[in-house]
Amino acid sequence: MVVLALTILVGAVSVLSLGVLLWVICKHFWIEHIPEGITHPMRLRFLSCFLHLSMTWGMIFEKLGLCYAAQFASFLHDLKPLKKDPDVVVTDIHFGTVPVKLYKPKEPSSTPRTGIIFFHGGGSILGSLRTHHNICLRLAKDCDSVVASVGYRKSPMYKYPVMKEDCETATVHFLRSLHVYGVDPARVVVCGDSIGGHAATVVCQEVMNRKDLPKFRAQVLIYSLLQSIDFQSPSYQQNDNIPLLSWNLAFYCWCCHLDINSSWKSVIKNGKHLPPEVWEKYRKWLGSEHIPERFKKRGYQPVPPGPVNEDAYEEIKFILNATCSPLIAEDDIVSQLPETCIVSCEYDLIRDHSLLYKKRLEDLGVPVTWHHMEDGFHGVLNTFDIRFLSFPCSSRIMDVVIQFIKKL
Ligand SMILES: *[C@@H]1O[C@H](CO)[C@@H](O)[C@H](O)[C@H]1NC(C)=O
Ligand SMILES: *[C@@H]1O[C@H](CO)[C@@H](O)[C@H](O)[C@H]1NC(C)=O
């Protein structure tokens, strides 16, 4: 009897697993699109299916009330083994209440080193100290620097502004204790990818005016999320179904992080979440006329904003806060930002954030080093150390970032 029940159970689980796998693969081929400019399309297909498989199982467990989808997906992504390097000492510590992984070159140095405070990406729902471990290890080793990677609390368990507050707490703690870690106060760099780049620039904008703290020497922003206002710029239209960040996934992360009702989807897609005068006010910074023509060649249809949905506006207007959309911080803030390295990817949903922020910084006299990856897509950096699945572009991003930091 028991044997029979077990057999049925195992059979049912196998059929379900196979069904989920087939569903994910079919959905990938049905919806997602891999442009010719991306090298190794099969690797990207594999990565995309893995991401969606982990999220789909997560959704099943979420529906069963066991955990959030992203928690389960993160659990799977964190199974990646941590690399060791005999030249770098890695310690798990806390800055205040915030967990931090600290990377320090083993070799003693006669002079203080460069310090890097690093914020990982993952749309605020995924990513962790583990998923970005190898990136930080490499930064510490190749830049001969002390890296503090920040394990901020994620959505959907913790909503905006918890992530920002954790990042700020960790940063202030680090800046106050540089001498403990042998870091030169004149050479502290803030760095992040995707929403980690968002955290980097928000922290930079917030901390800059504090007289009691050393100033950042530079910021490194890798395909960063820099605004939460406009979802119809050219890159949103051109790259809406390109792995690893589709429009729908970005919107899902946005709702989780900002605690916004996902039923506003079509309102937001049509720009009806803000009144025309607000669009007009920020056009000088967000308007697609500020994006060079060569980035519109793959197609772009301007969407005139429809009449505002007042209820949506009421719920959503806090996104106009610069801690949510650092791209629209005032001139007197942006003009004081330190030298910046921006990495953008052509096949990235949020490519235009980088292009627009670059323009703002340059217009206000901030030195910008810009690297545009013609074959890059969102999230590519995380593949730089997965042997069979890595993309040449990820090594190039690592190299340009390391070069930039070494020259400071
Ligand atoms: C989201 O909006 C829908 C439709 O307006 C509503 O039925 C639902 O209760 C809302 N959900 C939450 C969590 O507020
Ligand atoms: C922006 O948000 C922060 C909290 O994250 C708040 O302290 C600040 O007052 C807000 N600014 C405006 C203009 O609403």
Side-chain angles (χ1 to χ4, degrees):
M1 206 49 207
V2 175
V3 174
L4 181 65
L6 270 178
T7 313
I8 292 175
L9 185 69
V10 169
V13 169
S14 308
V15 169
L16 178 67
S17 306
L18 195 64
V20 169
L21 181 64
L22 282 176
W23 157 256
V24 165
I25 293 174
C26 290
K27 215 171 136 197
H28 163 71
F29 280 100
W30 188 260
I31 297 174
E32 293 194 310
H33 161 66
I34 300 195
E36 282 186 2
I38 291 183
T39 61
H40 310 297
M42 280 312 287
R43 293 181 193 177
L44 185 52
R45 289 194 191 288
F46 183 86
L47 287 171
S48 178
C49 287
F50 175 69
L51 171 66
H52 288 294
L53 194 59
S54 61
M55 280 302 282
T56 306
W57 274 110
M59 293 286 180
I60 292 171
F61 295 139
E62 186 171 310
K63 288 270 184 291
L64 293 173
L66 297 176
C67 60
Y68 284 112
Q71 273 177 308
F72 178 73
S74 264
F75 163 75
L76 286 187
H77 302 175
D78 280 351
L79 294 178
K80 189 170 109 171
L82 291 186
K83 205 157 108 183
K84 286 208 169 69
D85 189 317
D87 299 331
V88 181
V89 181
V90 184
T91 37
D92 287 296
I93 52 174
H94 280 80
F95 284 171
T97 53
V98 185
V100 166
K101 256 192 197 303
L102 192 81
Y103 303 77
K104 206 173 166 188
K106 198 171 216 165
E107 193 77 14
S109 168
S110 54
T111 51
R113 291 187 156 102
T114 300
I116 302 175
I117 185 134
F118 184 88
F119 303 110
H120 69 79
S124 86
I125 63 168
L126 300 171
S128 68
L129 294 177
R130 290 185 73 95
T131 57
H132 286 62
H133 166 79
N134 296 357
I135 295 171
C136 294
L137 198 63
R138 178 79 184 276
L139 283 178
K141 183 172 168 135
D142 286 12
C143 302
D144 188 32
S145 58
V146 177
V147 179
S149 178
V150 179
Y152 54 80
R153 284 171 291 174
K154 290 183 290 188
S155 309
M157 292 76 79
Y158 301 97
K159 313 283 188 188
Y160 167 86
V162 170
M163 173 185 168
K164 172 190 100 71
E165 286 166 0
D166 281 358
C167 293
E168 223 170 289
T169 304
T171 304
V172 170
H173 186 102
F174 187 54
L175 289 175
R176 284 207 178 120
S177 43
L178 295 174
H179 56 282
V180 177
Y181 306 109
V183 172
D184 179 355
R187 271 187 299 142
V188 183
V189 179
V190 59
C191 175
D193 66 307
S194 188
I195 202 163
H198 175 274
T201 204
V202 167
V203 162
C204 212
Q205 291 183 358
E206 296 257 303
V207 163
M208 207 174 42
N209 282 327
R210 289 186 52 166
K211 301 262 179 298
D212 57 329
L213 297 171
K215 296 239 180 288
F216 287 117
R217 173 66 183 84
Q219 50 174 354
V220 178
L221 311 176
I222 303 162
Y223 42 73
S224 300
L225 174 92
L226 298 168
Q227 57 97 2
S228 297
I229 301 170
D230 178 17
F231 292 80
Q232 279 300 340
S233 76
S235 65
Y236 278 93
Q237 293 187 13
Q238 294 160 356
N239 304 325
D240 65 338
N241 279 316
I242 294 180
L244 301 167
L245 184 67
S246 63
W247 200 99
N248 283 337
L249 180 58
F251 182 72
Y252 176 78
C253 296
W254 187 79
C255 291
C256 284
H257 182 51
L258 300 175
D259 202 11
I260 288 172
N261 192 326
S262 59
S263 67
W264 296 125
K265 189 168 184 171
S266 72
V267 171
I268 286 158
K269 219 167 186 170
N270 294 306
K272 294 183 184 172
H273 55 300
L274 297 175
E277 61 274 17
V278 173
W279 284 115
E280 198 49 43
K281 177 173 175 201
Y282 293 113
R283 228 180 94 184
K284 60 183 173 190
W285 297 330
L286 296 177
S288 64
E289 60 271 29
H290 305 306
I291 295 167
E293 284 306 311
R294 77 172 166 105
F295 293 104
K296 296 175 194 160
K297 286 215 182 96
R298 288 194 292 123
Y300 171 58
Q301 274 300 323
V303 181
V308 65
N309 178 317
E310 289 292 347
D311 293 338
Y313 179 50
E314 221 19 70
E315 184 178 331
I316 293 171
K317 65 181 174 195
F318 71 96
I319 58 172
L320 298 171
N321 190 310
T323 63
C324 221
S325 298
L327 180 51
I328 60 160
E330 292 301 326
D331 282 351
D332 57 344
I333 307 250
V334 178
S335 61
Q336 291 182 55
L337 290 171
E339 183 172 349
T340 305
C341 173
I342 290 181
V343 177
S344 55
C345 287
E346 178 56 25
Y347 300 110
D348 176 7
L349 186 81
I350 60 172
R351 174 199 69 198
D352 298 343
H353 297 203
S354 294
L355 303 180
L356 292 169
Y357 203 46
K358 167 181 180 285
K359 181 172 188 317
R360 280 216 68 197
L361 291 162
E362 285 175 344
D363 286 352
L364 293 165
V366 177
V368 177
T369 306
W370 173 49
H371 296 279
H372 185 64
M373 302 293 151
E374 291 292 350
D375 56 345
F377 56 90
H378 199 88
V380 66
L381 179 61
N382 278 76
T383 72
F384 100 99
D385 63 325
I386 343 180
R387 229 175 292 161
F388 303 107
L389 291 170
S390 91
F391 289 76
C393 173
S394 60
S395 309
R396 286 204 310 281
I397 296 179
M398 252 354 251
D399 289 345
V400 298
V401 168
I402 289 165
Q403 283 311 316
F404 175 82
I405 295 175
K406 276 169 81 173
K407 276 199 205 133
L408 293 173

